[in-house]
Amino acid sequence: MQHKHKISVSSFAIVGLALAVPLPTAAADDRKQLAFDVVERNVQAMTDISDSLYYFGELGMQEFESSKLLKDTLQAAGFRVELGGAGMPTNVWAEWGSGRPKVAIVTEIDALPGGSQTPGEFSRKPLVKDAPGHMEGHNTHGGVASLAAFAVKQVMQRYAIPGTVAISFGPAEEQLGSRPFLVRAGSFKDVDAIIYLHIRDTLNTGFGIGNYAAISSYFTFHGKTAHGAVNPWDGKDAVDAVELMDIGFDKLREHLRPSYRAHRTITIGGIQPNIIPDKGQIWWFVRDASMPAAKETYDKLLKIAEGAALMTGTTWDVQYAASAWPQLVSRTIAEAIQNNVEAVRMPNWAAEEQQQASDFQKSAEKPVLGLRSNVTPLGGRPQATSSNDSGDVSWVVPAGSLNFPSAIPGVEAHEWHAAVFPTSSISHKGQVVGAKTLAASLVDLLTLPELLQKARAEFENESKKTPYFSLVPADAKPDVDLNRGEMEKYRAEMRKFYLNKTPRFN
């Protein structure tokens, strides 16, 4: 188990970094030490949550077992918990306290298709063949976020700190499926700051623009059937329109910004060769470094669809699937989080854990790095080309970001190797330091008004450079049936592996 971390004022000094808020006082140290003590005595409950979520392995919008466990655990801990916000049955919003300041943890708990894997097994060995599973480690978010919020609740009660601490577990992050709807519903309208939480292989934060903007839509073409040999001239081929749209965009690629990304899959491609298909569908993702740039490319994609329909005599329609703004992460909040990163530090890995990680890296044909032992210095974030729908939240409220070290270095998410360690002692130790750092950072946001004021001023300045606009059509509703059929195929077999835990904090 991770040792308790005693904090001294000197531990908050970072060479070369001019802090914009006052240094913590002895009273602040006492508050954070209480949070750390609460985390220490609740490690088992935290890992029971995270490990249970691993075995649930639920896909986006189908996180029913996961959301129920979180609701039951947090309600027992004194939180008010609402399921179903913004029209999504598995959306979880929990809070304790009242009034302002109000700070929120923003994260997710969904798994990935085909990710089922036996924990600790270095070879490919699904628990249930072809079933979903946690091959990004989102299961760890549930325990870390819940325990950090509970620790902050205990601190607020002991020291009579006013305000509210909240947690938002948004469904279907992997499909960018929920946060734009939560923003549209006003879930964050009275929130003063958020911290976005995610698993990584190190304990770190950062600032600047992170991730890419993304727009996801289904393009469906409608034609007329005919016999492919007898009277093909009477048909209007909808799959031809799909192919022409695909080719048309390929011809456009040369003329797009170097930063763009666009990729697609054909979801309806006909029935059999001798039937002229009257329906064809292609699913597109368009991305770029900013949402205005992504929208510019997307508008050109609409014109290409129109041209494909004209060439084939078909009609077409487009259905919004998802969208995500890049994350706008506050330097002010990052500096405060970094103070706590430096105070908590990385876990004290056992020699056996280092060896296990190295053996696994070798087995997975990755660089043999072992586990990281040093925290990452604060710096601007390099912009990733992946997307996360939490970005929308960061354009309506000041946002920080915290990564915690529960993954194996060099092992990328979204492939089965990443499902081997999320329930291991390595993951559990990383969760402990993640919960401590998150709790301490939330205490700072609740107790340092200068920090919130500076973060708000910074946010107002940065967000004005690219004013936020929603990509969600006015009549769009969350796709609550997303992944339903896939989960129904496997849930009965997956249920055999459930841990049936009842975690309780104290």
Side-chain angles (χ1 to χ4, degrees):
M1 183 174 292
Q2 180 69 18
H3 295 298
K4 296 179 182 179
H5 298 281
K6 300 292 184 182
I7 300 179
S8 64
V9 172
S10 62
S11 69
F12 282 82
I14 301 175
V15 176
L17 181 63
L19 294 181
V21 297
L23 289 171
T25 63
D29 292 348
D30 292 341
R31 292 191 290 258
K32 291 181 181 180
Q33 187 60 53
L34 172 59
F36 295 165
D37 292 342
V38 173
V39 170
E40 288 285 356
R41 72 170 182 256
N42 284 282
V43 170
Q44 187 64 56
M46 176 185 69
T47 58
D48 282 349
I49 294 171
S50 297
D51 291 357
S52 294
L53 297 184
Y54 180 91
Y55 288 98
F56 292 152
E58 293 176 301
L59 298 172
M61 293 295 177
Q62 305 305 313
E63 307 100 329
F64 291 102
E65 297 286 354
S66 302
S67 59
K68 181 180 184 300
L69 177 71
L70 291 168
K71 179 182 180 183
D72 291 348
T73 304
L74 289 164
Q75 279 186 333
F79 285 74
R80 302 181 297 277
V81 185
E82 177 191 74
L83 296 183
M88 295 173 285
T90 58
N91 181 62
V92 182
W93 184 279
E95 61 180 52
W96 185 87
S98 62
R100 312 286 281 271
K102 186 173 184 178
V103 297
I105 305 163
V106 174
T107 192
E108 58 275 330
I109 51 174
D110 55 332
L112 286 155
S116 181
Q117 173 65 17
T118 302
E121 177 59 58
F122 284 15
S123 61
R124 184 65 165 124
K125 186 180 179 183
L127 287 168
V128 177
K129 187 176 184 299
D130 299 325
H134 277 284
M135 53 183 177
E136 187 168 340
H138 284 179
N139 63 294
T140 61
H141 298 180
V144 173
S146 297
L147 180 50
F150 177 75
V152 173
K153 168 184 175 284
Q154 300 300 92
V155 172
M156 294 172 74
Q157 288 179 305
R158 172 81 62 84
Y159 290 94
I161 297 170
T164 306
V165 59
I167 318 173
S168 172
F169 292 108
E173 184 277 327
E174 297 294 356
Q175 286 83 30
L176 310 178
S178 66
R179 263 69 80 107
F181 289 101
L182 290 171
V183 169
R184 187 179 72 174
S187 299
F188 297 92
K189 66 180 183 300
D190 61 346
V191 175
D192 293 290
I194 68 161
I195 296 178
Y196 176 62
L197 180 73
H198 204 283
I199 183 175
R200 288 286 187 271
D201 60 21
T202 188
L203 185 66
N204 78 304
T205 185
F207 59 87
I209 299 291
N211 300 101
Y212 256 33
I215 308 171
S216 169
S217 289
Y218 294 94
F219 291 80
T220 306
F221 294 87
H222 308 276
K224 181 176 179 290
T225 57
H227 195 295
V230 177
N231 63 329
W233 48 84
D234 289 333
K236 295 180 180 179
D237 195 322
V239 175
D240 279 351
V242 166
E243 291 184 314
L244 286 167
M245 183 183 185
D246 194 13
I247 294 168
F249 192 85
D250 276 343
K251 294 301 180 185
L252 180 66
R253 290 180 187 273
E254 179 184 1
H255 308 288
L256 296 176
R257 302 170 187 272
S259 55
Y260 93 96
R261 298 287 190 278
H263 23 277
R264 85 291 178 268
T265 188
I266 295 173
T267 47
I268 300 177
I271 302 171
Q272 61 187 51
N274 63 341
I275 300 174
I276 303 297
D278 65 346
K279 188 174 183 180
Q281 187 180 79
I282 185 168
W283 180 14
W284 280 93
F285 267 61
V286 172
R287 308 183 199 246
D288 214 316
S290 73
M291 183 55 81
K295 180 66 164 53
E296 180 181 301
T297 299
Y298 181 76
D299 289 342
K300 293 176 181 178
L301 187 65
L302 295 174
K303 289 293 186 182
I304 291 170
E306 182 181 355
L310 284 171
M311 285 187 283
T312 53
T314 58
T315 60
W316 68 287
D317 58 68
V318 59
Q319 178 186 354
Y320 167 89
S323 60
W325 277 65
Q327 291 175 342
L328 176 64
V329 184
S330 164
R331 177 169 187 152
T332 298
I333 298 177
E335 289 171 352
I337 294 173
Q338 184 70 24
N339 290 341
N340 296 306
V341 166
E342 296 286 342
V344 173
R345 312 298 297 176
M346 289 284 282
N348 296 319
W349 306 116
E352 295 82 3
E353 290 167 332
Q354 285 283 9
Q355 187 62 54
Q356 189 179 32
S358 296
D359 290 345
F360 180 62
Q361 289 160 341
K362 183 177 180 180
S363 171
E365 299 181 340
K366 307 294 184 182
V368 180
L369 307 171
L371 298 168
R372 302 189 194 282
S373 298
N374 298 319
V375 300
T376 304
L378 181 62
R381 298 174 56 179
Q383 187 172 13
T385 54
S386 59
S387 304
N388 185 305
D389 65 355
S390 66
D392 282 62
V393 182
S394 72
W395 291 85
V396 297
V397 61
S401 175
L402 174 65
N403 300 320
F404 60 94
S406 288
I408 304 300
V411 177
E412 295 297 332
H414 291 222
E415 62 117 340
W416 70 265
H417 288 97
V420 173
F421 275 85
T423 65
S424 66
S425 66
I426 292 170
S427 174
H428 293 167
K429 283 186 174 181
Q431 291 174 49
V432 171
V433 300
K436 289 181 176 181
T437 308
L438 179 57
S441 300
L442 292 168
V443 168
D444 284 337
L445 289 169
L446 286 164
T447 59
L448 296 174
E450 302 92 340
L451 174 59
L452 283 180
Q453 290 166 7
K454 187 168 188 293
R456 170 56 65 175
E458 177 191 16
F459 169 77
E460 296 290 351
N461 181 60
E462 291 298 320
S463 61
K464 284 177 182 176
K465 297 175 183 177
T466 309
Y468 176 77
F469 57 90
S470 177
L471 272 292
V472 182
D475 60 347
K477 296 180 180 180
D479 183 4
V480 297
D481 291 323
L482 182 69
N483 296 314
R484 186 184 300 278
E486 187 74 2
M487 279 305 305
E488 287 175 350
K489 284 193 292 186
Y490 303 108
R491 195 184 287 276
E493 286 299 308
M494 294 170 68
R495 196 178 298 276
K496 297 174 183 178
F497 296 93
Y498 289 2
L499 298 182
N500 299 314
K501 299 279 190 178
T502 307
R504 291 294 182 263
F505 297 134
N506 63 80

